[in-house]
mmCIF file of all heavy atoms in Angstrom:
data_model
loop_
_atom_site.group_PDB
_atom_site.id
_atom_site.type_symbol
_atom_site.label_atom_id
_atom_site.label_comp_id
_atom_site.label_asym_id
_atom_site.label_seq_id
_atom_site.Cartn_x
_atom_site.Cartn_y
_atom_site.Cartn_z
ATOM 1 N N LYS A 34 9.747 28.481 -76.591
ATOM 2 C CA LYS A 34 10.211 29.156 -75.367
ATOM 3 C C LYS A 34 11.602 29.698 -75.573
ATOM 4 O O LYS A 34 12.448 28.989 -76.163
ATOM 5 C CB LYS A 34 10.137 28.220 -74.174
ATOM 6 C CG LYS A 34 8.715 27.795 -73.846
ATOM 7 C CD LYS A 34 8.665 26.943 -72.597
ATOM 8 C CE LYS A 34 7.223 26.613 -72.307
ATOM 9 N NZ LYS A 34 7.109 25.919 -71.020
ATOM 10 N N ASN A 35 11.907 30.864 -75.087
ATOM 11 C CA ASN A 35 13.227 31.459 -75.211
ATOM 12 C C ASN A 35 13.945 31.413 -73.871
ATOM 13 O O ASN A 35 13.471 31.935 -72.885
ATOM 14 C CB ASN A 35 13.091 32.963 -75.633
ATOM 15 C CG ASN A 35 12.538 33.071 -77.028
ATOM 16 O OD1 ASN A 35 13.063 32.413 -77.949
ATOM 17 N ND2 ASN A 35 11.576 33.873 -77.224
ATOM 18 N N TYR A 36 15.104 30.728 -73.829
ATOM 19 C CA TYR A 36 15.947 30.600 -72.672
ATOM 20 C C TYR A 36 17.237 31.320 -72.942
ATOM 21 O O TYR A 36 17.764 31.227 -74.044
ATOM 22 C CB TYR A 36 16.306 29.143 -72.412
ATOM 23 C CG TYR A 36 15.172 28.189 -72.097
ATOM 24 C CD1 TYR A 36 14.431 27.592 -73.093
ATOM 25 C CD2 TYR A 36 14.860 27.920 -70.803
ATOM 26 C CE1 TYR A 36 13.386 26.731 -72.780
ATOM 27 C CE2 TYR A 36 13.868 27.032 -70.474
ATOM 28 C CZ TYR A 36 13.127 26.442 -71.462
ATOM 29 O OH TYR A 36 12.110 25.584 -71.159
ATOM 30 N N TYR A 37 17.771 32.039 -71.949
ATOM 31 C CA TYR A 37 19.095 32.588 -72.089
ATOM 32 C C TYR A 37 19.660 32.919 -70.721
ATOM 33 O O TYR A 37 18.951 33.044 -69.766
ATOM 34 C CB TYR A 37 19.118 33.831 -73.013
ATOM 35 C CG TYR A 37 18.246 34.976 -72.543
ATOM 36 C CD1 TYR A 37 18.776 36.000 -71.731
ATOM 37 C CD2 TYR A 37 16.904 35.061 -72.919
ATOM 38 C CE1 TYR A 37 17.969 37.019 -71.298
ATOM 39 C CE2 TYR A 37 16.116 36.116 -72.516
ATOM 40 C CZ TYR A 37 16.650 37.088 -71.703
ATOM 41 O OH TYR A 37 15.860 38.145 -71.276
ATOM 42 N N LEU A 38 21.005 33.037 -70.684
ATOM 43 C CA LEU A 38 21.745 33.408 -69.465
ATOM 44 C C LEU A 38 22.140 34.883 -69.551
ATOM 45 O O LEU A 38 22.534 35.343 -70.620
ATOM 46 C CB LEU A 38 22.990 32.537 -69.298
ATOM 47 C CG LEU A 38 22.711 31.048 -69.045
ATOM 48 C CD1 LEU A 38 24.043 30.332 -68.885
ATOM 49 C CD2 LEU A 38 21.840 30.829 -67.870
ATOM 50 N N THR A 39 22.052 35.546 -68.434
ATOM 51 C CA THR A 39 22.421 36.941 -68.410
ATOM 52 C C THR A 39 22.952 37.275 -66.999
ATOM 53 O O THR A 39 22.762 36.535 -66.067
ATOM 54 C CB THR A 39 21.238 37.841 -68.749
ATOM 55 O OG1 THR A 39 21.667 39.207 -68.829
ATOM 56 C CG2 THR A 39 20.132 37.729 -67.715
ATOM 57 N N GLY A 40 23.647 38.403 -66.895
ATOM 58 C CA GLY A 40 23.996 38.944 -65.568
ATOM 59 C C GLY A 40 25.413 38.747 -65.084
ATOM 60 O O GLY A 40 25.940 39.589 -64.384
ATOM 61 N N GLY A 41 26.063 37.641 -65.433
ATOM 62 C CA GLY A 41 27.400 37.399 -64.943
ATOM 63 C C GLY A 41 28.464 38.142 -65.710
ATOM 64 O O GLY A 41 28.245 38.633 -66.792
ATOM 65 N N SER A 42 29.654 38.222 -65.101
ATOM 66 C CA SER A 42 30.773 38.914 -65.764
ATOM 67 C C SER A 42 31.407 37.976 -66.805
ATOM 68 O O SER A 42 31.455 36.776 -66.627
ATOM 69 C CB SER A 42 31.831 39.272 -64.730
ATOM 70 O OG SER A 42 31.304 40.133 -63.772
ATOM 71 N N THR A 43 31.886 38.571 -67.887
ATOM 72 C CA THR A 43 32.598 37.827 -68.917
ATOM 73 C C THR A 43 34.109 37.937 -68.766
ATOM 74 O O THR A 43 34.838 37.213 -69.454
ATOM 75 C CB THR A 43 32.129 38.242 -70.314
ATOM 76 O OG1 THR A 43 32.388 39.644 -70.478
ATOM 77 C CG2 THR A 43 30.648 37.949 -70.519
ATOM 78 N N LEU A 44 34.569 38.845 -67.942
ATOM 79 C CA LEU A 44 36.015 38.978 -67.711
ATOM 80 C C LEU A 44 36.216 39.083 -66.182
ATOM 81 O O LEU A 44 35.699 40.005 -65.530
ATOM 82 C CB LEU A 44 36.567 40.229 -68.392
ATOM 83 C CG LEU A 44 38.055 40.496 -68.138
ATOM 84 C CD1 LEU A 44 38.944 39.363 -68.608
ATOM 85 C CD2 LEU A 44 38.473 41.791 -68.812
ATOM 86 N N LEU A 45 36.940 38.107 -65.627
ATOM 87 C CA LEU A 45 37.199 38.070 -64.214
ATOM 88 C C LEU A 45 38.693 38.197 -63.992
ATOM 89 O O LEU A 45 39.507 37.612 -64.747
ATOM 90 C CB LEU A 45 36.707 36.763 -63.607
ATOM 91 C CG LEU A 45 35.181 36.523 -63.769
ATOM 92 C CD1 LEU A 45 34.864 35.048 -63.454
ATOM 93 C CD2 LEU A 45 34.430 37.458 -62.846
ATOM 94 N N ASN A 46 39.122 38.869 -62.941
ATOM 95 C CA ASN A 46 40.527 39.020 -62.600
ATOM 96 C C ASN A 46 40.784 38.596 -61.169
ATOM 97 O O ASN A 46 39.976 38.933 -60.296
ATOM 98 C CB ASN A 46 40.987 40.465 -62.766
ATOM 99 C CG ASN A 46 40.996 40.925 -64.201
ATOM 100 O OD1 ASN A 46 41.740 40.340 -65.035
ATOM 101 N ND2 ASN A 46 40.157 41.853 -64.564
ATOM 102 N N GLY A 47 41.866 37.880 -60.961
ATOM 103 C CA GLY A 47 42.223 37.390 -59.636
ATOM 104 C C GLY A 47 43.717 37.465 -59.449
ATOM 105 O O GLY A 47 44.483 37.605 -60.410
ATOM 106 N N ALA A 48 44.157 37.372 -58.224
ATOM 107 C CA ALA A 48 45.589 37.362 -57.900
ATOM 108 C C ALA A 48 45.979 35.973 -57.445
ATOM 109 O O ALA A 48 45.266 35.320 -56.697
ATOM 110 C CB ALA A 48 45.866 38.394 -56.820
ATOM 111 N N TYR A 49 47.204 35.550 -57.837
ATOM 112 C CA TYR A 49 47.690 34.253 -57.452
ATOM 113 C C TYR A 49 47.753 34.166 -55.899
ATOM 114 O O TYR A 49 48.188 35.083 -55.215
ATOM 115 C CB TYR A 49 49.104 34.044 -58.016
ATOM 116 C CG TYR A 49 49.697 32.740 -57.583
ATOM 117 C CD1 TYR A 49 49.259 31.557 -58.054
ATOM 118 C CD2 TYR A 49 50.756 32.736 -56.626
ATOM 119 C CE1 TYR A 49 49.813 30.335 -57.648
ATOM 120 C CE2 TYR A 49 51.316 31.567 -56.212
ATOM 121 C CZ TYR A 49 50.847 30.366 -56.739
ATOM 122 O OH TYR A 49 51.381 29.201 -56.286
ATOM 123 N N GLY A 50 47.246 33.037 -55.376
ATOM 124 C CA GLY A 50 47.299 32.805 -53.959
ATOM 125 C C GLY A 50 46.096 33.376 -53.196
ATOM 126 O O GLY A 50 46.035 33.233 -51.956
ATOM 127 N N ILE A 51 45.162 34.009 -53.904
ATOM 128 C CA ILE A 51 44.026 34.600 -53.248
ATOM 129 C C ILE A 51 42.749 34.099 -53.886
ATOM 130 O O ILE A 51 42.581 34.242 -55.125
ATOM 131 C CB ILE A 51 44.054 36.164 -53.360
ATOM 132 C CG1 ILE A 51 45.334 36.705 -52.663
ATOM 133 C CG2 ILE A 51 42.825 36.766 -52.728
ATOM 134 C CD1 ILE A 51 45.554 38.191 -52.836
ATOM 135 N N ALA A 52 41.865 33.524 -53.133
ATOM 136 C CA ALA A 52 40.564 33.047 -53.623
ATOM 137 C C ALA A 52 39.711 34.256 -53.970
ATOM 138 O O ALA A 52 39.877 35.319 -53.401
ATOM 139 C CB ALA A 52 39.885 32.167 -52.606
ATOM 140 N N GLY A 53 38.803 34.038 -54.878
ATOM 141 C CA GLY A 53 37.878 35.131 -55.278
ATOM 142 C C GLY A 53 36.586 34.632 -55.868
ATOM 143 O O GLY A 53 36.391 33.442 -56.049
ATOM 144 N N SER A 54 35.712 35.606 -56.193
ATOM 145 C CA SER A 54 34.476 35.265 -56.835
ATOM 146 C C SER A 54 33.980 36.454 -57.630
ATOM 147 O O SER A 54 34.386 37.602 -57.394
ATOM 148 C CB SER A 54 33.430 34.808 -55.848
ATOM 149 O OG SER A 54 33.047 35.864 -55.004
ATOM 150 N N ASP A 55 33.076 36.200 -58.534
ATOM 151 C CA ASP A 55 32.429 37.220 -59.351
ATOM 152 C C ASP A 55 31.569 38.066 -58.410
ATOM 153 O O ASP A 55 31.009 37.570 -57.449
ATOM 154 C CB ASP A 55 31.568 36.580 -60.446
ATOM 155 C CG ASP A 55 31.163 37.555 -61.513
ATOM 156 O OD1 ASP A 55 31.380 38.799 -61.367
ATOM 157 O OD2 ASP A 55 30.644 37.106 -62.559
ATOM 158 N N THR A 56 31.413 39.350 -58.722
ATOM 159 C CA THR A 56 30.516 40.190 -57.979
ATOM 160 C C THR A 56 29.081 40.191 -58.524
ATOM 161 O O THR A 56 28.188 40.739 -57.972
ATOM 162 C CB THR A 56 31.041 41.647 -57.938
ATOM 163 O OG1 THR A 56 31.139 42.094 -59.314
ATOM 164 C CG2 THR A 56 32.388 41.740 -57.278
ATOM 165 N N LYS A 57 28.936 39.508 -59.670
ATOM 166 C CA LYS A 57 27.643 39.376 -60.348
ATOM 167 C C LYS A 57 27.260 37.929 -60.407
ATOM 168 O O LYS A 57 28.084 37.057 -60.387
ATOM 169 C CB LYS A 57 27.731 39.952 -61.759
ATOM 170 C CG LYS A 57 28.125 41.397 -61.812
ATOM 171 C CD LYS A 57 28.223 41.812 -63.282
ATOM 172 C CE LYS A 57 28.672 43.262 -63.414
ATOM 173 N NZ LYS A 57 28.819 43.636 -64.822
#
Side-chain angles (χ1 to χ4, degrees):
K34 296 184 177 187
N35 293 311
Y36 295 86
Y37 60 92
L38 295 181
T39 186
S42 300
T43 57
L44 177 60
L45 301 166
N46 291 298
Y49 177 72
I51 300 174
S54 66
D55 195 350
T56 58
K57 300 178 183 177

